[in-house]
Amino acid sequence: MRPGLPLPLALLLCGALLRADGLSDLKAALKGLPAPAKVTVKVEAESLERESGKDRTERRTTVVEDGSEGTRILEDSRAAATPAKAKGGTRAPGAAKKGSGEFHDELRPAEGLLEQLEKARLLEERAEAYEGRPARRLRLAMDLDLDADARSHLKKADYEATVWIGSDGLPLAMDHHIEVRARVLLLASVWTKVDIRRRFQRAQNRLLVLDEHADVQGAALGKSFSAKETTRCTVL
């Protein structure tokens, strides 16, 4: 009869098997966040779009209050520059709308992250400090969530994400890289590449976006286009 494993080694192996991976830790930490307390945030956004040699730049500063009663816009530079139309225009400052999606990604990113991570697969995990803080770096294969018809036109579809999580399992930053090539209308082709970097912050018991940089490039029907967008959130 062969001797069994020494007890300390057996315990060590059991602990390694039972220990969750970084992706599981991230999901658990996001699900474990308490109900968000009320917070007031200044959201500064700037975008640059280029198509057919023409540039269009837009800047917007908004002060938003978000809590259990919904999202309330306190100040909005866009509303001040462009008066709301009688019907279907920009919502006036001070109006509250529960579950408003306009600033949902910035003020409540945990919900969107959990949806994105539902079908994610962990490709690599390693210890790697982020901006001087101890962290784990996770490389993930993500799902584009396309229907069968859309997938039938694809020639290439890559979507990977890299996320740095802190000791509490919550994200410190996340990079998205998406590249899609497709064929439409028999001979026409479409190409798009999207790179997004997000950094997160904690305020009271909430997870919030600190800043986001998005870079989009592509071509469709022989015409190229590009867009850059930067968003920064400051807790007031």
Side-chain angles (χ1 to χ4, degrees):
M1 180 176 179
R2 298 178 60 185
L5 288 172
L7 182 59
L9 180 57
L11 292 175
L12 180 63
L13 290 174
C14 287
L17 291 172
L18 292 173
R19 186 169 57 246
D21 59 44
L23 179 56
S24 299
D25 290 342
L26 172 59
K27 291 179 180 179
L30 291 171
K31 291 177 182 177
L33 285 169
K38 182 180 290 187
V39 68
T40 303
V41 178
K42 179 170 69 172
V43 183
E44 298 170 281
E46 181 175 351
S47 63
L48 170 63
E49 297 181 7
R50 176 172 295 170
E51 185 174 359
S52 301
K54 297 180 180 180
D55 293 351
R56 185 169 69 90
T57 303
E58 182 178 349
R59 296 179 180 86
R60 182 186 184 189
T61 299
T62 315
V63 177
V64 185
E65 180 184 81
D66 182 67
S68 60
E69 297 179 354
T71 302
R72 190 159 65 105
I73 297 177
L74 305 179
E75 300 175 21
D76 189 347
S77 62
R78 178 187 291 174
T82 307
K85 296 179 181 179
K87 183 177 181 181
T90 303
R91 187 155 40 95
K97 184 178 180 182
K98 192 167 184 177
S100 173
E102 186 174 6
F103 298 98
H104 199 83
D105 288 347
E106 293 84 7
L107 302 179
R108 303 189 182 210
E111 297 175 23
L113 281 172
L114 282 170
E115 290 182 9
Q116 293 172 359
L117 296 171
E118 184 177 350
K119 296 181 180 179
R121 293 182 292 108
L122 180 62
L123 301 176
E124 181 185 29
E125 176 178 350
R126 69 183 188 210
E128 182 179 289
Y130 184 82
E131 296 184 345
R133 289 174 285 180
R136 282 180 286 167
R137 178 182 181 272
L138 314 179
R139 188 165 68 91
L140 308 173
M142 308 291 284
D143 183 64
L144 281 172
D145 194 24
L146 300 175
D147 60 29
D149 182 61
R151 290 184 185 276
S152 68
H153 295 285
L154 293 178
K155 296 172 62 180
K156 177 181 180 180
D158 294 332
Y159 183 8
E160 282 197 5
T162 302
V163 57
W164 289 262
I165 63 174
S167 57
D168 57 1
L170 289 171
L172 302 173
M174 189 169 186
D175 291 351
H176 299 260
H177 175 74
I178 305 169
E179 185 170 359
V180 174
R181 294 181 183 272
R183 186 173 299 280
V184 295
L185 302 177
L186 297 180
L187 298 178
S189 61
V190 177
W191 166 75
T192 304
K193 185 173 76 170
V194 181
D195 289 293
I196 302 172
R197 163 158 285 201
R198 271 183 165 188
R199 294 192 301 166
F200 300 92
Q201 61 181 321
R202 297 294 301 278
Q204 301 178 48
N205 64 341
R206 299 183 65 129
L207 179 71
L208 303 166
V209 168
L210 173 62
D211 53 36
E212 177 179 303
H213 301 275
D215 188 356
V216 179
Q217 301 177 53
L221 303 177
K223 295 182 179 180
S224 62
F225 59 88
S226 65
K228 295 180 183 291
E229 185 169 339
T230 301
T231 305
R232 182 170 184 84
C233 301
T234 305
V235 178
L236 302 179

